[in-house]
């Protein structure tokens, strides 16, 4: 299956929080979008890996992802080495996306910038003819996505560009709340974490409102790039 967009997240829920509305909009426009979670989030204070597996599947259904896989890397302890890069390359070559989005370049959680760098470097290596990979006993062909974008997470990084997501925030919030073990639930007896309070959920919306304010729309999501974003002309800008 060839995908238009392949999104990577270090943990289940990273993608929904960072780019859920943008992906919902792309899916609405007819794009095929898939997701690869690097870990199962097993070190998270609340819930469990098994619970988060179910929540991730529910969120994928809400947003309309055509595929979601988990590479099972060690939460908190995966590294950016040949072994891990190869697993990511196998996914890139399997789905051959035009666009890849991945974790924030810099962030509070150590797995986020680590996952960002891992995926970014794998995108380059995936295009090398002489680096061979085999998946399901089939030799894979090289593939390099045309674009690699990084969504923004805990830290308020200054975006290189923003996407108008007006009309898609409700779907994003619904997908986030599918992770009921992780986020605000007044009935929960689980320990409190930085993302389990009401203020955090509200912050997802007011960040999108603030970014939208800058471009004259109701809501927006921001992204960073490692290369220039190119446009054909002024008419491409809103």
């Amino acid at each position: 299956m060839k995908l238009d967009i392949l999104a990577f997240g270090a943990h289940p829920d990273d993608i929904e929080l960072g780019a859920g509305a943008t992906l919902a909009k792309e899916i609405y426009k007819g794009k095929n979008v898939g997701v690869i979670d690097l870990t199962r989030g097993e070190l998270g204070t609340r819930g469990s890996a098994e619970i988060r597996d179910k929540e991730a599947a529910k969120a994928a259904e809400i947003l309309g992802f055509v595929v979601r896989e988990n590479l099972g890397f060690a939460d908190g302890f995966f590294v950016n080495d040949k072994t891990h890069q190869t697993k990511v390359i196998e996914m890139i070559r399997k789905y051959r996306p035009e666009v890849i989005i991945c974790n924030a370049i810099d962030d509070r959680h150590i797995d986020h910038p680590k996952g960002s760098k891992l995926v970014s470097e794998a995108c380059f290596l995936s295009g090398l003819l002489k680096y061979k990979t085999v998946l399901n006993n089939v030799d894979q062909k090289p593939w390099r996505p045309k674009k690699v974008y990084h969504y923004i997470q805990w830290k308020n990084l200054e975006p290189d560009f923003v996407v108008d997501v007006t009309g898609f925030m409700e779907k994003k919030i619904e997908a986030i709340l599918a992770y009921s073990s992780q986020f605000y639930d007044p009935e929960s007896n689980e320990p409190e974490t930085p993302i389990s309070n009401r203020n955090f959920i509200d912050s997802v919306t007011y960040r999108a409102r603030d970014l939208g304010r800058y471009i004259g729309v109701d809501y927006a999501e921001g992204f960073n790039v490692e290369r220039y974003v190119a446009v054909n002309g002024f008419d491409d800008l809103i």
Side-chain angles (χ1 to χ4, degrees), residues 3 9 12 24 45 47 59 64 79-80 107 116 119-120 140 170-171 175 193-194 230:
L3 298 177
T45 301
V79 295
N80 183 7
D107 209 43
S116 172
V119 173
S120 177
Q140 293 184 298
E170 185 175 326
K171 183 74 73 174
T193 72

Side-chain angles (χ1 to χ4, degrees), residues 132-180:
K132 306 297 184 182
T133 56
V134 178
L135 187 66
N136 298 325
N137 297 316
V138 176
D139 291 333
Q140 293 184 298
K141 295 180 180 180
W143 181 266
R144 185 174 294 143
K146 294 176 181 176
K147 306 175 186 73
V148 180
Y149 301 139
H150 304 262
Y151 46 85
I152 294 171
Q153 298 185 258
W154 180 272
K155 290 186 177 181
N156 286 322
L157 304 182
E158 183 175 350
D160 294 312
F161 71 92
V162 296
V163 177
D164 177 9
V165 295
T166 304
F168 295 91
M169 280 300 295
E170 185 175 326
K171 183 74 73 174
K172 169 177 175 149
I173 297 300
E174 183 184 359
I176 291 170
L177 293 179
Y179 294 91
S180 57

Side-chain angles (χ1 to χ4, degrees), residues 5 19-31 33 62-65 165 167-173 175 221:
I5 301 169
T22 299
L23 294 179
K25 183 175 184 177
E26 293 296 322
I27 291 166
Y28 176 80
K29 290 160 57 179
K31 299 292 180 64
V33 177
I62 290 168
L63 287 173
F65 300 147
V165 295
F168 295 91
M169 280 300 295
E170 185 175 326
K171 183 74 73 174
K172 169 177 175 149
I173 297 300
E221 287 182 328

Side-chain angles (χ1 to χ4, degrees), residues 13-212:
D13 74 31
D14 283 356
I15 292 158
E16 290 84 351
L17 285 166
T22 299
L23 294 179
K25 183 175 184 177
E26 293 296 322
I27 291 166
Y28 176 80
K29 290 160 57 179
K31 299 292 180 64
N32 286 325
V33 177
V35 167
I36 306 293
D37 298 308
L38 301 182
T39 80
R40 297 173 71 201
E42 63 271 18
L43 293 185
T45 301
R46 295 160 67 101
S48 66
E50 292 74 20
I51 289 172
R52 296 184 78 171
D53 289 345
K54 295 177 182 177
E55 293 170 341
K58 182 178 179 181
E61 183 178 353
I62 290 168
L63 287 173
F65 300 147
V66 296
V67 66
R68 185 168 207 154
E69 295 195 42
N70 194 302
L71 294 183
F73 294 169
D75 188 12
F77 293 97
F78 71 85
V79 295
N80 183 7
D81 64 3
K82 183 177 181 180
T83 298
H84 290 79
Q85 286 172 356
T86 299
K87 293 297 184 183
V88 174
I89 291 167
E90 288 173 356
M91 294 297 101
I92 295 170
R93 291 178 171 180
K94 177 180 179 179
Y95 292 112
R96 304 169 76 80
E98 302 299 317
V99 177
I100 280 184
I101 66 170
C102 55
N103 286 101
I105 292 171
D106 181 32
D107 209 43
R108 168 183 171 270
H109 196 300
I110 60 171
D111 280 353
H112 296 169
K114 193 165 45 171
S116 172
K117 194 69 173 175
L118 168 62
V119 173
S120 177
E121 291 184 359
C123 286
F124 175 79
L125 293 169
S126 181
L128 299 181
L129 178 65
K130 292 184 178 179
Y131 188 67
K132 306 297 184 182
T133 56
V134 178
L135 187 66
N136 298 325
N137 297 316
V138 176
D139 291 333
Q140 293 184 298
K141 295 180 180 180
W143 181 266
R144 185 174 294 143
K146 294 176 181 176
K147 306 175 186 73
V148 180
Y149 301 139
H150 304 262
Y151 46 85
I152 294 171
Q153 298 185 258
W154 180 272
K155 290 186 177 181
N156 286 322
L157 304 182
E158 183 175 350
D160 294 312
F161 71 92
V162 296
V163 177
D164 177 9
V165 295
T166 304
F168 295 91
M169 280 300 295
E170 185 175 326
K171 183 74 73 174
K172 169 177 175 149
I173 297 300
E174 183 184 359
I176 291 170
L177 293 179
Y179 294 91
S180 57
S181 71
Q182 301 302 302
F183 301 112
Y184 179 67
D185 178 1
E187 304 300 320
S188 176
N189 293 317
E190 294 262 31
E192 288 295 318
T193 72
I195 64 172
S196 67
N197 56 65
R198 179 78 247 183
N199 183 49
F200 177 78
I201 289 296
D202 290 343
S203 76
V204 174
T205 298
Y206 60 67
R207 172 188 275 172
R209 281 191 178 276
D210 195 43
L211 289 174

